[in-house]
Amino acid sequence: MRIYTRSGDKGETSLIYGKRVKKNDLRVEAYGTCDEANSMIGLGRSHLTNEEFEGKQQVVEALHQVQTILFHVGAELATPQDKEVAWKLKKEHIESLEQQIDKWDQSLQPLNNFILPSGHPSAAALHSARTIVRRAERVAVAIEDEVGNELVVSYLNRLSDFLFVAARYVNQSLGGEELPLNTDV
């Protein structure tokens, strides 16, 4: 089977179940932005390959789980509202993010001011993924009435919080610097 189909050469693509839409359709923007975030999370994970720190395996596994679920969020966004998604996002997925956020946050230094996205390459990639997820969330809100699962926006919202805390946790674990916002500029 070839990777290319030529079916998108005229600026259209198929949603799940075959409905054709323009490639600039907000649904395509929403699931494409999730895909972009997923790639950036993968980049963050890849920077941890040669690192050793307590909790590394838990971070790698949590990021892998998030990538898997984010792929399914994209499927939710690509499925027409009147159709059934094969693998639905559940409240437990959001709760799992919250549990991990709380666990990591307990070990972090309290924030006294805003921090700039920076530090260890993994943390910087996770900060970048966070901003991409925020964009996906904004697009998902714009098409909320067309998305069959109301948990999609909640998941994306919580995922950005998760990625912020994960970036801080990685920075703290690997000695990455958290740069405070300079208010004297």
Side-chain angles (χ1 to χ4, degrees):
M1 185 170 101
R2 293 182 182 159
I3 189 71
Y4 57 89
T5 64
R6 297 187 179 115
S7 64
D9 290 353
K10 302 261 191 245
E12 289 189 345
T13 191
S14 292
L15 298 177
I16 295 176
Y17 293 102
K19 179 181 177 186
R20 301 290 292 174
V21 297
K22 296 293 271 176
K23 287 188 176 185
N24 64 351
D25 187 277
L26 283 178
R27 278 186 169 278
V28 178
E29 182 67 27
Y31 71 71
T33 306
C34 287
D35 190 36
E36 186 181 344
N38 212 333
S39 295
M40 190 58 70
I41 293 167
L43 179 63
R45 264 183 62 214
S46 73
H47 283 296
L48 296 176
T49 302
N50 296 320
E51 300 290 354
E52 288 304 323
F53 61 94
E54 186 177 333
K56 172 190 171 178
Q57 192 59 36
Q58 184 183 48
V59 172
V60 170
E61 288 173 10
L63 292 175
H64 182 253
Q65 180 70 15
V66 160
Q67 285 187 282
T68 301
I69 295 169
L70 189 55
F71 191 88
H72 291 291
V73 169
E76 294 259 13
L77 292 165
T79 301
Q81 187 176 9
D82 61 336
K83 301 292 184 185
E84 190 65 31
V85 177
W87 188 89
K88 283 189 96 54
L89 184 64
K90 299 175 187 153
K91 188 173 172 69
E92 296 86 58
H93 297 119
I94 297 168
E95 291 168 350
S96 176
L97 289 176
E98 291 171 347
Q99 290 167 3
Q100 192 60 63
I101 290 167
D102 292 343
K103 183 175 183 178
W104 286 337
D105 201 39
Q106 288 176 359
S107 70
L108 295 174
Q109 304 273 331
L111 280 177
N112 297 319
N113 51 346
F114 289 106
I115 58 170
L116 298 173
S118 60
H120 187 274
S122 176
L126 295 175
H127 276 300
S128 185
R130 173 186 55 80
T131 66
I132 297 167
V133 166
R134 284 287 189 210
R135 181 165 21 102
E137 179 187 7
R138 291 190 301 271
V139 179
V141 166
I143 61 168
E144 211 166 7
D145 294 341
E146 300 172 40
V147 178
N149 190 341
E150 70 280 353
L151 295 176
V152 167
V153 172
S154 296
Y155 184 83
L156 292 171
N157 183 280
R158 207 72 76 254
L159 179 57
S160 64
D161 296 332
F162 168 90
L163 291 168
F164 177 76
V165 172
R168 293 195 68 223
Y169 184 80
V170 166
N171 264 338
Q172 180 178 295
S173 298
L174 294 172
E177 184 179 12
E178 283 190 338
L179 295 174
L181 178 66
N182 183 352
T183 57
D184 296 332
V185 176

